[in-house]
């Protein structure tokens, strides 16, 4: 299944059905994901973290999932990038706060001390896209199995004085072609972006994956998952004055 999923991505081939028996646990999903990363061969430069729906938390044993973001698909917003998606698959843009790891080491962390291994916090947009249009309709294990439904990351400006900033209450807005499609704060994001970093350290250690300094964490959709199509422009506005945007293109 890992080979079929990465072949579909490489060949830009739509998947009308999932290519095999759908994974029923997160362990099965991550086994597929780990194999796909190995077969793919590209360097992982970051990880997206997404939320598992509350009604599925007990079944899947947790409230978050993760997927790799490859280094060659991480771009700077200053270039006003064009971000490719699978036009015949699933495609969305999400306003997210991005955390950059420094030296994580082997120590144990909690929600407060995890900030000590974060060296930068930025604004950004995650591009979610998969050749399988129904990727988000079959539960978190299916989503996680195909790279967590990631297709790129746009790194925006840093959040000034993030160590002391009230990130949880920062207003965030999302626009598609200039029209507002979502507005929220991080109050609804479980224990916030640093909780996403703490989760990621735990799950990657359990999978035997090292976290290199400079690894990015896309901490979770703030305003929602906003579907997009080629030709559209996605733009996020953080704290009323930090803008991050891109044009969506066909992959």
């Amino acid at each position: 299944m890992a080979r079929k999923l990465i072949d579909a991505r490489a060949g830009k081939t739509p998947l009308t059905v999932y290519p095999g028996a759908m994974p029923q646990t997160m362990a099965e999903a991550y086994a597929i994901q780990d194999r796909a990363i190995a077969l793919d061969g590209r360097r992982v430069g970051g990880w997206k973290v997404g939320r598992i729906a509350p009604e599925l938390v007990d079944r899947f044993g947790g409230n978050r999932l993760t997927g790799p973001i490859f280094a060659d698909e991480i771009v700077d917003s200053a270039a006003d990038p064009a971000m490719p998606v699978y036009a015949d698959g699933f495609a969305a843009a999400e306003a997210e706060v991005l955390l950059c790891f420094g030296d994580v080491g082997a120590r144990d962390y909690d929600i407060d001390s995890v900030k000590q291994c974060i060296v930068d916090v930025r604004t950004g947009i995650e591009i979610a896209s998969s050749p399988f249009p129904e990727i988000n309709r079959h539960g978190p294990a299916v989503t996680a199995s195909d790279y967590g439904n990631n297709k790129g990351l746009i790194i925006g400006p840093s959040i000034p004085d993030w160590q002391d900033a009230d990130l949880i209450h920062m207003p965030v807005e999302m626009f598609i072609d200039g029209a507002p499609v979502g507005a929220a704060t991080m109050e609804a994001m479980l224990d916030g972006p640093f909780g996403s970093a703490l989760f990621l350290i735990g799950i990657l250690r359990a999978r035997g994956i090292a976290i290199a300094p400079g690894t990015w964490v896309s901490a979770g959709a703030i305003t929602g998952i906003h579907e997009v199509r080629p030709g559209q422009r996605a733009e996020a506005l953080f704290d009323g004055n930090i803008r991050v945007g891109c044009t969506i293109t066909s992959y």
Side-chain angles (χ1 to χ4, degrees), residues 26 30 47 49 64-66 196-209 211:
M26 296 311 294
Y30 290 135
W47 297 85
V49 175
R64 285 179 166 104
L65 62 85
T66 190
S196 293
L198 188 63
F199 159 80
L200 188 63
I201 290 171
I203 193 68
L204 293 185
R205 283 176 173 172
R207 291 163 62 186
I209 299 174
I211 302 174

Side-chain angles (χ1 to χ4, degrees), residues 94-112:
E94 304 168 11
E96 310 217 359
V97 164
L98 317 179
L99 314 180
C100 185
F101 280 123
D103 182 13
V104 175
R107 63 169 289 190
D108 292 330
Y109 294 97
D110 59 25
I111 191 63
D112 295 315

Side-chain angles (χ1 to χ4, degrees), residues 103-155:
D103 182 13
V104 175
R107 63 169 289 190
D108 292 330
Y109 294 97
D110 59 25
I111 191 63
D112 295 315
S113 62
V114 74
K115 296 179 183 180
Q116 297 171 14
C117 67
I118 303 298
V119 297
D120 196 6
V121 175
R122 298 207 179 196
T123 55
I125 294 176
E126 183 204 347
I127 300 299
S129 191
S130 167
F132 183 40
E134 296 186 358
I135 187 168
N136 285 344
R137 300 180 187 174
H138 300 281
V142 167
T143 299
S145 71
D146 186 25
Y147 292 160
N149 195 16
N150 179 264
K151 192 65 181 74
L153 187 65
I154 304 158
I155 299 176

Side-chain angles (χ1 to χ4, degrees), residues 13-131:
T13 307
L15 293 172
T16 55
V17 297
Y18 189 82
M22 292 184 180
Q24 299 301 307
T25 67
M26 296 311 294
E28 292 175 2
Y30 290 135
I32 296 169
Q33 187 187 110
D34 288 344
R35 183 62 178 152
I37 292 170
L39 289 169
D40 191 302
R42 288 179 293 165
R43 182 174 71 85
V44 175
W47 297 85
K48 64 84 58 74
V49 175
R51 184 172 184 175
I52 293 176
E55 66 272 17
L56 298 177
V57 167
D58 288 344
R59 175 183 168 187
F60 288 95
N63 54 21
R64 285 179 166 104
L65 62 85
T66 190
I69 307 173
F70 292 99
D72 64 347
E73 295 180 336
I74 299 176
V75 299
D76 193 314
S77 67
D80 193 20
M83 302 298 289
V85 299
Y86 298 98
D88 295 320
F90 178 88
E94 304 168 11
E96 310 217 359
V97 164
L98 317 179
L99 314 180
C100 185
F101 280 123
D103 182 13
V104 175
R107 63 169 289 190
D108 292 330
Y109 294 97
D110 59 25
I111 191 63
D112 295 315
S113 62
V114 74
K115 296 179 183 180
Q116 297 171 14
C117 67
I118 303 298
V119 297
D120 196 6
V121 175
R122 298 207 179 196
T123 55
I125 294 176
E126 183 204 347
I127 300 299
S129 191
S130 167

